[in-house]
Amino acid sequence: SPEPKRSKPRDNSGVGEDPPLSEESPELKNRRIQRELMAAAAEKRIAAAAKDASTLTPPRNTGRGMAEVGIGSSKAVDDTGKSVVENSTAGVSCALSGSEADKLFMMIFGRGVSKDILAQWCNQGIRFSDDPGTSMGLVQHEGGPCGVLAAIQAFVLKHLLFSTEETRVHETRTRRHLRDGSDVLSSLSEGKRSSALVTSMTEILFLCGRNERAVIASLNISGPLKGPPDDSVRSSFEILCIESGSDMVTALAVDTFASKFDALRKIEALIPVYRSRFGALLFLISALLSRGLDNVQDDRDDPSQPLVTAPFGHASQEIVNLLLSGSAVANVFDEKIDLGGGMFVKGVTTSVEVGFLTLLESLNFCKVGQYLKCPKWPIWVVGSESHYTVLFALDPSVQAENELEVRESLIRRAFDAEDSSGGGGFVTAEAFRSVIARAGISFPARTAEQLCGTGYVVWREFWQAVTGLDRSCGGVKDSTGMMGKKSFDLYHFNGIAKATAADPNGRQQRPRLIKLRVSVPPKWTPEEFMAGEAASSTTTAAAAPTADDDAAKPQHAPLVDCIRTRWPRCVCNWDGDAPSIV
């Protein structure tokens, strides 16, 4: 899915060389001096690492190869020529080579990246909201990196709501606070928020590293920090810029961990760095290195394109999928689709902890598979044409399938297994026979003939036929009219915080947390449900409308279209302004 269009680029020119020294501005001169100092420090570090490495015992072979001490590929360290030293937190420090840094920079940004895009990705820290009502949320100030922030946010919510140590008390807590999610998520202590963040970042990196390693990228800091950590880090990197692979060589410090405990300790120590303006970019780099640059390219359908797309610096679907599933695939459907001639396009191949929904599915541009649509926990990154936000529930039972949903899931999987359109929602007449055989459906000959009349069978028409078919024939016909009815609450978080151009007073948009009341009606479409409700209301005595009546009326926003891709017949309402996914 595409990512945000926050504003037009401030400068579309590619990043080039600095002007001659005679024309240097004071800013460029300071930047050049900073680079020279960092380059000198890097040379000394690499030389010391090479000297120390000659006395090290080779890393123990764990049976998984030596991927845990490599960076950009799964080759052994001694095959790549990297210098390694043990660090103080039981990790392995590796100097990023020039060729590897160039490959990494090109993979992320491509050639001729604009200064505007680099500014977006070099000015977004991983920081929590200061607003009491959204203290659980990460704040986004720049367009572009929200794909990274939303994925981290989803895991943070998982650990705040459903962490192992809270499993016993969560059900009681959920019942107590179900009326108002802000009671659960507002005014969290700094310790609890930081713990959830550190745990989430560690989990994501090991997910990318196939549970064998996590590579943690940070910034080189020369000398001890003075004063508060955040202020010290900010002042240390005030004039630092990353505009090329060579900048990455001098700016980045890279450590590889095979132990989750040690990796967590390292990230915990680096939180001031991740809060800095380079935080989102550093975490993306860490995820890519944890997966391995060669593996990332193998995951992708078109590895020639940058992961951050021009002209607005959007985070690609590959970035989001990497952070959610551990693989940088470009598609959101399940498994892979055979295009013939030995060509495949790749989708998500494993179940996930937190999922993904997108407005593009409601517009029939793609089909989100069951892996992302039905994650282990009721938390979803939500993609629109221009932004990523997060949707979640406090109660895990919202994902529990009733009789209708169980049958619908089975039939849908049978249909999708024969759908070679890439999520277009249709199968050939020949494949249709395999669908009904796998799903155990027996249509009357005339119905089957009508469905296959054009040579293709569309999902919508097929499902309508199934809902009118008796259960004895494999259908889901419901004589009671109550099958599938359910109600629950969802919460939507949008972390964008920036000045709103449309506001004449220049007030800043703040992160927003909105509660939605969701009802899945006992009919097949929202229109039928509303028609049925209107018809039933005519048989009752007329009553004056009340505020409660208005609040209960179904409301619409683009987010509702996203939610309906998960619960197709649902209607939603909320208090106040509509939730925004842009």
Side-chain angles (χ1 to χ4, degrees):
S1 320
E3 213 259 304
K5 287 182 186 177
R6 286 288 159 215
S7 61
K8 292 185 178 181
R10 294 183 288 270
D11 184 351
N12 286 324
S13 61
V15 175
E17 298 180 356
D18 289 341
L21 295 182
S22 59
E23 301 177 8
E24 266 189 329
S25 66
E27 179 184 356
L28 289 178
K29 183 177 180 180
N30 288 337
R31 182 181 299 177
R32 177 176 57 80
I33 293 173
Q34 177 78 0
R35 285 177 174 172
E36 291 173 355
L37 291 173
M38 294 185 69
E43 289 176 1
K44 291 181 180 179
R45 188 176 66 256
I46 293 172
K51 181 178 179 180
D52 292 342
S54 63
T55 63
L56 289 178
T57 302
R60 180 174 59 87
N61 191 328
T62 62
R64 298 187 296 269
M66 299 175 69
E68 63 271 17
V69 292
I71 298 181
S73 71
S74 57
K75 295 180 181 179
V77 168
D78 54 0
D79 288 339
T80 64
K82 296 187 181 70
S83 302
V84 299
V85 294
E86 295 289 340
N87 67 20
S88 60
T89 50
V92 178
S93 298
C94 300
L96 200 63
S97 69
S99 60
E100 197 167 45
D102 288 339
K103 182 177 181 180
L104 176 61
F105 186 88
M106 287 295 297
M107 181 185 296
I108 298 174
F109 295 113
R111 296 186 185 278
V113 58
S114 72
K115 292 182 180 179
D116 181 73
I117 290 177
L118 289 173
Q120 290 177 356
W121 283 85
C122 293
N123 285 284
Q124 179 60 66
I126 302 175
R127 306 178 70 95
F128 283 104
S129 168
D130 293 328
D131 293 345
T134 55
S135 63
M136 36 50 75
L138 300 175
V139 181
Q140 180 191 349
H141 296 287
E142 291 288 338
C146 64
V148 174
L149 295 181
I152 299 173
Q153 179 71 73
F155 278 89
V156 167
L157 286 168
K158 168 197 162 183
H159 287 286
L160 287 175
L161 295 172
F162 308 114
S163 60
T164 303
E165 59 269 22
E166 295 181 358
T167 299
R168 297 178 182 177
V169 301
H170 173 71
E171 185 176 351
T172 301
R173 182 181 62 180
T174 297
R175 283 197 301 265
R176 184 185 309 137
H177 298 295
L178 201 56
R179 289 186 178 182
D180 187 358
S182 62
D183 289 347
V184 179
L185 298 170
S186 65
S187 301
L188 294 169
S189 69
E190 182 61 32
K192 190 167 186 177
R193 296 191 305 180
S194 294
S195 176
L197 177 61
V198 169
T199 304
S200 298
M201 294 170 69
T202 306
E203 180 179 1
I204 293 172
L205 295 184
F206 271 96
L207 175 64
C208 296
R210 292 299 185 267
N211 215 33
E212 296 178 357
R213 68 170 186 174
V215 181
I216 300 174
S218 61
L219 297 174
N220 284 315
I221 301 177
S222 56
L225 296 176
K226 299 179 180 179
D230 286 4
D231 294 340
S232 298
V233 169
R234 188 183 303 112
S235 60
S236 296
F237 306 132
E238 188 172 358
I239 61 173
L240 175 64
C241 61
I242 297 178
E243 297 182 346
S244 65
S246 60
D247 288 341
M248 286 185 168
V249 172
T250 56
L252 295 183
V254 179
D255 298 287
T256 303
F257 296 84
S259 163
K260 292 183 179 180
F261 176 76
D262 292 332
L264 188 145
R265 287 172 54 206
K266 180 68 173 180
I267 292 176
E268 189 174 33
L270 289 173
I271 281 298
V273 176
Y274 282 106
R275 285 176 179 159
S276 77
R277 61 190 181 93
F278 291 99
L281 177 59
L282 286 172
F283 189 74
L284 173 59
I285 291 171
S286 299
L288 293 171
L289 295 178
S290 295
R291 178 72 178 115
L293 302 188
D294 293 338
N295 291 329
V296 170
Q297 295 296 69
D298 289 341
D299 290 340
R300 307 172 67 195
D301 290 335
D302 186 0
S304 67
Q305 298 299 313
L307 293 169
V308 172
T309 60
F312 297 105
H314 302 162
S316 64
Q317 186 67 46
E318 294 152 309
I319 290 177
V320 176
N321 283 349
L322 173 65
L323 302 180
L324 296 184
S325 72
S327 296
V329 295
N331 305 291
V332 292
F333 50 71
D334 291 343
E335 306 300 341
K336 60 183 179 181
I337 292 179
D338 187 352
L339 300 179
M343 296 182 63
F344 296 87
V345 287
K346 304 166 188 174
V348 178
T349 59
T350 184
S351 58
V352 296
E353 294 287 301
V354 297
F356 180 77
L357 302 175
T358 175
L359 182 65
L360 298 183
E361 181 174 3
S362 70
L363 300 174
N364 294 321
F365 285 121
C366 67
K367 171 64 180 175
V368 179
Q370 294 300 302
Y371 288 139
L372 289 174
K373 193 170 287 183
C374 302
K376 179 177 180 180
W377 302 106
I379 305 168
W380 298 266
V381 173
V382 176
S384 69
E385 307 101 317
S386 61
H387 191 36
Y388 291 106
T389 55
V390 180
L391 181 74
F392 62 98
L394 304 182
D395 187 353
S397 69
V398 302
Q399 294 229 95
E401 293 187 326
N402 55 38
E403 181 184 0
L404 170 63
E405 290 169 328
V406 170
R407 183 63 178 149
E408 183 176 357
S409 294
L410 187 152
I411 295 172
R412 184 78 212 208
R413 283 188 181 275
F415 189 91
D416 287 347
E418 301 293 335
D419 182 357
S420 59
S421 67
F426 61 86
V427 298
T428 64
E430 183 178 354
F432 175 68
R433 298 185 181 90
S434 299
V435 173
I436 59 177
R438 183 178 299 182
I441 297 172
S442 178
F443 281 120
R446 183 176 179 182
T447 302
E449 183 178 346
Q450 289 174 340
L451 288 172
C452 299
T454 63
Y456 291 90
V457 179
V458 180
W459 166 258
R460 184 184 297 274
E461 296 175 355
F462 170 56
W463 180 245
Q464 287 178 345
V466 172
T467 62
L469 187 66
D470 193 83
R471 296 189 193 187
S472 62
C473 298
V476 291
K477 186 175 182 180
D478 177 26
S479 58
T480 67
M482 297 303 290
M483 185 190 300
K485 181 178 182 180
K486 59 169 29 175
S487 297
F488 50 89
D489 293 334
L490 294 176
Y491 294 84
H492 179 254
F493 176 72
N494 186 346
I496 194 70
K498 60 182 294 184
T500 306
D503 191 326
N505 298 317
R507 288 174 297 188
Q508 191 174 40
Q509 178 179 333
R510 305 300 301 170
R512 296 178 61 200
L513 177 65
I514 294 180
K515 175 182 176 180
L516 299 94
R517 295 170 290 275
V518 182
S519 297
V520 181
K523 298 288 183 182
W524 302 117
T525 68
E527 292 78 13
E528 287 178 346
F529 173 67
M530 294 308 300
E533 291 295 295
S536 64
S537 67
T538 61
T539 63
T540 61
T546 65
D548 290 339
D549 293 334
D550 291 336
K553 289 180 180 178
Q555 297 166 279
H556 185 266
L559 176 62
V560 176
D561 293 329
C562 297
I563 296 173
R564 283 178 180 166
T565 65
R566 175 63 179 84
W567 290 279
R569 300 176 303 280
C570 76
V571 292
C572 304
N573 60 78
W574 54 85
D575 298 326
D577 294 337
S580 172
I581 57 175
V582 296

